[in-house]
Amino acid sequence: MSSKTAVDMRWHFKDRVKDGVLRHPADAKAWKSFNQIHESFGMEPRNVRLGLATYGFNPFGNMNLHYSIWLVLIYPYNLPPGMRMKEPYVFMTLLIPGPKGPCHDIDVYMRPLIDELQILWEIGVETYDIYAKQNFQMRAALLWTINDYPAYAYMSDVMHIEKNVFENVIGTMMSIDGKTKDSLNARLDLQEMGIRHRYHPEEGDNDGYSGNLSQCMNALERNIFGKKTHDCHELCAKVLREDDLNLLDNQIVITLCKLEKIFPPAFFDIMIHLTCHLAWEAKVAGPVQFRWMYHVERYLHKLKTYVRNKAHPEGSIAKGVLGDECLIFYSRYLHRVETKFNKRDRNDDGGQPSYDTSPLSIFSTPGRAFGKGVCHLSKNIRTF
């Protein structure tokens, strides 16, 4: 362990403010419950909690050229919030070459990493803590993975099935051509099984007087357009009972209210369910910014700048990452040389310190005037 970061690996246990506010994954239920279940692991604050991110990207930045490189990143969660998701503390463990993505064979590439994670969890490795000047058996636990939905489909058989179910449900609800499962054969299957009688096909005159209502709706603008007279009749028939079709004109408002019960609430229910799920997830796992893809995508942008030889993009990326890691390690011990770790903040322009008592550090940053100062006299008060 580096002498410059060894003390930070205890931050979650020693320096974290424990006032009930959710600032760090260690404040969440999952972290605390994990320590209670695995007491031997939780008693050693230097044991590492990890997050694993998987993502595929085009190294050339040209969407017209199909080339997919996949990488696996490791994030240590013991560090303070200001350090955890930064580039110096991101470890690229796997770089799966292209031009085609690994798809469902990604588990073959990840097998060595899984074996190492199992060793770190079950046995651990002997590590020298340069801060405490002693050896200890360091173990590691993988808390969660960070992926987008296509990567989830490759990382799990369960997620692949869930992805197919999701696409089938959405395709059926929105009546997407080629993806909807609401077909005549599906209705005949229901009739043969003797279930859901209201969905059984019925023989009738095929006069085609009503169009496809799903093609007459814009969900984003909440607008219905291109309706014919019989389309409106069919839409009302879906909302009202047959004996309510002879409503008086003063009941139009009630009819519109019933129409609103068809479309918007379906989307509102989804949004409410999603919001409740995100709130529950934050309460269990901690602040969401430590599990989202934004940091991964920013890191991918940096990796693309390493591709100097387009004939060997994987080699260019590996060489760039290795050189960057060496420079990061050397810069920690160069005290008299300006590096990105000891240079002044980008908002610090060398002015006089501010006497602002605000608790936010951004308002106490030293600053200086832009250009030459001008003296103004107003009521015996000089201002610049």
Side-chain angles (χ1 to χ4, degrees):
M1 301 178 69
S2 172
S3 60
K4 305 301 179 182
T5 58
V7 64
D8 294 323
M9 295 298 291
R10 309 165 182 250
W11 182 91
H12 68 96
F13 179 79
K14 183 179 180 181
D15 300 327
R16 178 172 56 91
V17 180
K18 303 176 183 179
D19 57 356
V21 180
L22 196 63
R23 303 186 183 92
H24 188 272
D27 299 320
K29 290 185 177 180
W31 190 295
K32 298 177 181 178
S33 177
F34 184 85
N35 289 342
Q36 293 176 358
I37 298 174
H38 307 282
E39 295 183 0
S40 61
F41 188 95
M43 291 176 60
E44 176 54 73
R46 292 170 294 186
N47 287 336
V48 185
R49 278 80 169 177
L50 300 174
L52 185 146
T54 308
Y55 201 80
F57 67 103
N58 187 340
F60 305 115
N62 185 1
M63 301 306 296
N64 294 328
L65 180 61
H66 181 72
Y67 199 101
S68 180
I69 293 179
W70 283 69
L71 74 165
V72 179
L73 306 176
I74 291 290
Y75 292 89
Y77 282 90
N78 293 43
L79 298 172
M83 299 172 58
R84 186 182 314 109
M85 308 302 289
K86 296 294 182 64
E87 292 180 2
Y89 311 102
V90 179
F91 302 97
M92 187 175 68
T93 59
L94 289 176
L95 183 64
I96 305 175
K100 296 182 179 179
C103 297
H104 300 289
D105 294 332
I106 193 172
D107 55 343
V108 178
Y109 294 93
M110 295 189 63
R111 186 64 191 183
L113 176 61
I114 295 174
D115 293 339
E116 292 182 358
L117 291 176
Q118 288 180 346
I119 294 175
L120 289 173
W121 166 248
E122 298 173 356
I123 304 175
V125 293
E126 186 176 1
T127 306
Y128 179 70
D129 186 353
I130 194 172
Y131 176 76
K133 308 296 182 181
Q134 64 179 6
N135 292 333
F136 74 102
Q137 197 73 6
M138 185 187 72
R139 298 171 59 194
L142 183 63
L143 296 183
W144 46 64
T145 60
I146 306 173
N147 308 98
D148 56 4
Y149 282 106
Y152 269 130
Y154 299 150
M155 293 290 291
S156 176
D157 299 335
V158 178
M159 286 303 302
H160 181 66
I161 297 175
E162 183 176 351
K163 176 177 178 292
N164 291 338
V165 173
F166 172 79
E167 292 179 349
N168 292 338
V169 171
I170 294 298
T172 302
M173 290 178 58
M174 303 302 295
S175 187
I176 301 176
D177 293 338
K179 295 185 178 180
T180 178
K181 300 301 179 181
D182 187 10
S183 60
L184 177 60
N185 292 332
R187 298 294 183 100
L188 293 175
D189 291 339
L190 295 178
Q191 184 176 5
E192 183 178 356
M193 291 184 290
I195 59 176
R196 300 186 179 182
H197 298 280
R198 60 176 179 173
Y199 296 116
H200 292 180
E202 298 180 358
E203 295 182 1
D205 297 333
N206 186 15
D207 52 7
Y209 67 95
S210 177
N212 188 353
L213 299 179
S214 63
Q215 304 298 328
C216 303
M217 293 183 292
N218 189 330
L220 296 178
E221 299 180 1
R222 301 178 63 182
N223 184 25
I224 303 177
F225 56 89
K227 305 174 296 299
K228 297 184 294 185
T229 303
H230 294 292
D231 296 335
C232 299
H233 175 76
E234 282 296 305
L235 185 60
C236 291
K238 298 294 184 181
V239 181
L240 307 174
R241 300 188 304 270
E242 293 183 359
D243 56 345
D244 290 333
L245 292 178
N246 296 322
L247 294 175
L248 299 177
D249 292 341
N250 58 1
Q251 297 295 322
I252 293 179
V253 176
I254 300 177
T255 305
L256 293 177
C257 292
K258 290 186 177 181
L259 288 176
E260 289 183 355
K261 293 181 180 179
I262 295 182
F263 306 106
F267 299 96
F268 292 156
D269 291 343
I270 295 175
M271 294 303 298
I272 292 174
H273 175 74
L274 179 60
T275 303
C276 294
H277 176 73
L278 292 178
W280 174 84
E281 183 180 353
K283 187 176 181 180
V284 172
V288 69
Q289 64 266 26
F290 302 127
R291 302 184 309 280
W292 64 1
M293 293 297 298
Y294 174 73
H295 304 285
V296 180
E297 292 172 350
R298 288 195 62 182
Y299 187 69
L300 295 182
H301 175 72
K302 182 178 181 180
L303 296 182
K304 291 180 180 181
T305 61
Y306 292 152
V307 180
R308 304 294 180 86
N309 187 348
K310 294 186 177 181
H312 304 283
E314 297 86 359
S316 299
I317 293 176
K319 183 178 180 180
V321 171
L322 181 60
D324 196 32
E325 290 180 352
C326 293
L327 292 176
I328 291 173
F329 182 79
Y330 296 152
S331 62
R332 298 187 189 279
Y333 300 93
L334 300 176
H335 303 290
R336 297 182 181 181
V337 179
E338 182 178 354
T339 65
K340 63 180 180 180
F341 297 103
N342 58 16
K343 67 179 181 181
R344 296 182 304 178
D345 188 79
R346 66 178 181 177
N347 297 322
D348 184 359
D349 50 14
Q352 296 296 325
S354 174
Y355 297 99
D356 195 340
T357 58
S358 174
L360 299 178
S361 60
I362 60 175
F363 295 113
S364 60
T365 302
R368 59 186 175 188
F370 181 77
K372 184 178 180 180
V374 180
C375 179
H376 297 278
L377 297 178
S378 175
K379 296 182 180 180
N380 298 326
I381 299 177
R382 292 185 177 184
T383 59
F384 293 87

